[in-house]
Amino acid sequence: MVKRRDARYTGPALATAVVLCGLLATLLTVAGLRAAQRENTRRVMDQRDRMAVAAVRAETDRYRTLLETVASGLATDDEITWDDFDQATFPLTSAGLLGVVAVAYVVPVGTADVPAAQERWRAAGANGLTLRPDPGTNEHYFPVFTRMLNDQDTPAGSAGADLSSAAQPADALQTARQTGGSTVSDTYVLLRDRDRPAGERQQSFVFAAPVRTRASDPVFHGWVVLGLRGGDFLTGVLSTVSQGQLDGSLVAINSDGSRAGIAELSVPGRPDLSRSATIPIADHVWELRLRADSSRLPGAGGHLPVTVLVGGLTLTGVVAWLVFALATGRTRARTRVDEATAELRAAEEESRKQAALLSAIMTTIGDGVSVVDHSGRVLLENPAAQRLMGVTESSDDPQAWQEHYGAYRADGVTPMAVDEMPLIRAMRGEPEVTGEVLIRNAGRPDGVLLGVDARPLDPSAGLRGAVAVFRDITELRQYEKDLAIFAGVVAHDLKSPLAIVRGHCELALDDPDDAVEVRTSLHRIVRAVDRMDALIETLLAYSTARDAPLHLADLPLEPLVGEVLQERAASLRSTGGPEPVWTVGPLPAVRADPAMLRHVLDNLIGNAVKYVRPGAVPRADVTAVEATPGWVRIRVADAGIGIPDGDKTRVFDSFHRAPGSAGYAGTGLGLAICRRVVERHGGEIGVEDNPGGGTCFHFTLPAAAGIEETEMKHIPTEPVEEDDAQVRAALERALAERAAIMDSRLPGLSALPAAEPSAHDPAAARLRAPVPDHQHKV
């Protein structure tokens, strides 16, 4: 019976115990949830505070960076105009600058210089500019160019206003000029806002960046100034961060230590949480104060505590809920973890894609890229860099770079010292280093001239070092060398005939009654004009041989060779020269550009009949044989003065003439044109001694039969082997050779060329009628 009684109380006791335990657990749980909510609101408040501070700092840093970029761009112009300012500041219109009213270019002007400055800047594009100096100062600061960045404002009243009338912007401008860096002013009401009603005025400030040249002794021009309204700025920055849940106020600590409120932002609620942070802005410090109603922040509300309380009082519900929670808690937790880390995984995947893209870019680009740390250890070197420098393994010891890579100065002789290497200079902190390095090693036996652009590694990489970009500029420097010689020769060869023309015209004018002398002068003038025309034709052919498109066709060689021989014979007869002798063997058809092939034959045959010893009979023998299947080798042999062995490899260079040709007319371009034409057809050209005396030129062209398409080769670039002194020597040698052929003098003038028609002048040849062929064909 006792047992029954005990059993009777067991249920209620257990029930009571369960209720008490459930109630205790529920109360403790509710208390813990409330504490967690309060902690969560504090974390949210801290997070919003950090986001707001970061947003203000990021925006102000962005404004300063954009302003300094504009100032740097304007510093490159010696005379700044509205067009320069407009181009430099145009990107700001789409930059989304919160609170910014306008950007202006401000210049300092003394009181006595105001009228002259007004005229100067009007001429530079500031139409209608009127400078209004403040009588209280001797130096005035006038915005002469202004770009509005706020659609609600107009430029009226801003251009020409004297900023020295307001102490705050004036102090900021003076500080920027003294320090050479960007500054921010103390708070004040913008000059353009002082006519507004008091309720619409905002505390504002300006950013200023000096405009200085980049020379070793920089010259100060003025400032680029950005006007900013504090209220609009704070509202724009905090509107996204606060999500309508934060009160905000921005306080500036002025230069004199006073505190001035810039702007305030209010939202509904009763704030019970607050945060405060200082933000360095240029040479000033701002204080951002944030307040929030904790009940309005995420995580503060919810009915979970009430739900837990009700569930704890209902034992069955509590047990059911606990069972359900235990059964499904792990899955729900895993889902929540996946949701919480989804953004992190996406960011990680994006980072991998960016790394793969960067690797692909570095492998694909043709420019070499090398990255080293502060000790010279190579961190990254793309395949193009190894190919350009002719090595497959890098060296981590800067002292061994010269020997490892074979680095020389641009002259190709002087080894480059370690301190001169652009990458070393960039490692030591020089901001922008450019230079030229000649690399010559086992992988690059002929040498390659590299243009190097090196800079210190950006601090965001987390380590000190440098990065360099290499480009092959061998062909560019060779082209510049040819262009320098080309310009000198053209200037000399065009001036000489003009001097003849002028001299003979003066003779004719001095004694117009002497018909014989006048006729003689006119003939010499005509010959001088012929020389100019021949030179122009040669220069045109030189350019055409390099750049003009090929018009390929199947054409027989024999008629073309016969026509060129006839014209050359007629040219010699017209000048009283000896009758040439020639032989022409069987010639097949070839596939070539007719006009360019004619120029090659005309040059080679012309040289054969021109470069002969005095009194000797000119001779030309033209034959052809099969070189390789599908190719024809054409030979043009002569009995002339020949070419020394030391010059055979150079006769095809532009403006080069062998020493024995100094007494013969010519430009030094004929054989260079021939080489360009032949190589563009995919063939080769060369020269050797003629067994019977003289010279034999030979070149290959594709045969007409069985060839539908010929692969054209680009003209190979020549290695850079000459420095500026050698270029000048080549130019002086070319001019000296031309001076040697001048055989006509006028009274009272220095020696002038006789202006004989060029023996290889196609224009002159076309003016002469062809003559019957009295020579031999084999």
Side-chain angles (χ1 to χ4, degrees), residues 435-502:
E436 295 180 0
V437 180
L438 189 137
I439 300 297
R440 186 169 57 245
N441 50 43
R444 287 287 190 175
D446 296 330
V448 57
L449 186 63
L450 301 180
V452 185
D453 185 356
R455 301 189 181 191
L457 201 59
D458 191 272
S460 62
L463 52 83
R464 293 190 302 108
V467 58
V469 178
F470 307 92
R471 296 180 181 86
D472 186 351
I473 60 172
T474 307
E475 183 176 356
L476 175 62
R477 290 295 178 264
Q478 179 64 27
Y479 182 77
E480 291 174 349
K481 179 196 74 173
D482 290 345
L483 187 61
I485 300 177
F486 179 85
V489 171
V490 169
H492 179 273
D493 282 6
L494 286 179
K495 287 179 65 177
S496 296
L498 288 175
I500 293 176
V501 171
R502 178 180 180 85

Side-chain angles (χ1 to χ4, degrees), residues 31-71:
L33 289 174
R34 289 294 186 186
Q37 288 177 344
R38 289 192 294 272
E39 181 63 22
N40 191 40
T41 57
R42 286 194 291 270
R43 286 198 302 269
V44 172
M45 184 63 183
D46 291 339
Q47 181 185 25
R48 295 290 173 83
D49 176 63
R50 290 192 297 270
M51 292 173 61
V53 171
V56 172
R57 181 178 287 113
E59 281 298 299
T60 54
D61 288 347
R62 185 166 72 99
Y63 293 179
R64 288 180 57 201
T65 300
L66 290 173
L67 197 65
E68 291 171 356
T69 301
V70 172

Side-chain angles (χ1 to χ4, degrees), residues 355-497:
L357 177 60
L358 177 60
S359 177
I361 292 173
M362 295 297 290
T363 303
T364 305
I365 60 176
D367 290 346
V369 179
S370 290
V371 182
V372 299
D373 63 9
H374 66 282
S375 66
R377 183 171 61 91
V378 178
L379 303 178
L380 173 66
E381 192 168 69
N382 69 341
Q386 296 179 348
R387 184 176 64 256
L388 288 173
M389 292 188 288
V391 296
T392 57
E393 295 184 0
S394 306
S395 172
D396 293 338
D397 181 10
Q399 299 300 323
W401 284 358
Q402 195 284 323
E403 183 177 354
H404 180 76
Y405 295 106
Y408 297 85
R409 292 181 180 175
D411 60 9
V413 177
T414 308
M416 177 164 285
V418 174
D419 293 340
E420 298 177 7
M421 295 182 180
L423 201 53
I424 296 296
R425 293 167 57 191
M427 286 168 51
R428 295 177 178 173
E430 294 190 36
E432 296 182 4
V433 184
T434 58
E436 295 180 0
V437 180
L438 189 137
I439 300 297
R440 186 169 57 245
N441 50 43
R444 287 287 190 175
D446 296 330
V448 57
L449 186 63
L450 301 180
V452 185
D453 185 356
R455 301 189 181 191
L457 201 59
D458 191 272
S460 62
L463 52 83
R464 293 190 302 108
V467 58
V469 178
F470 307 92
R471 296 180 181 86
D472 186 351
I473 60 172
T474 307
E475 183 176 356
L476 175 62
R477 290 295 178 264
Q478 179 64 27
Y479 182 77
E480 291 174 349
K481 179 196 74 173
D482 290 345
L483 187 61
I485 300 177
F486 179 85
V489 171
V490 169
H492 179 273
D493 282 6
L494 286 179
K495 287 179 65 177
S496 296

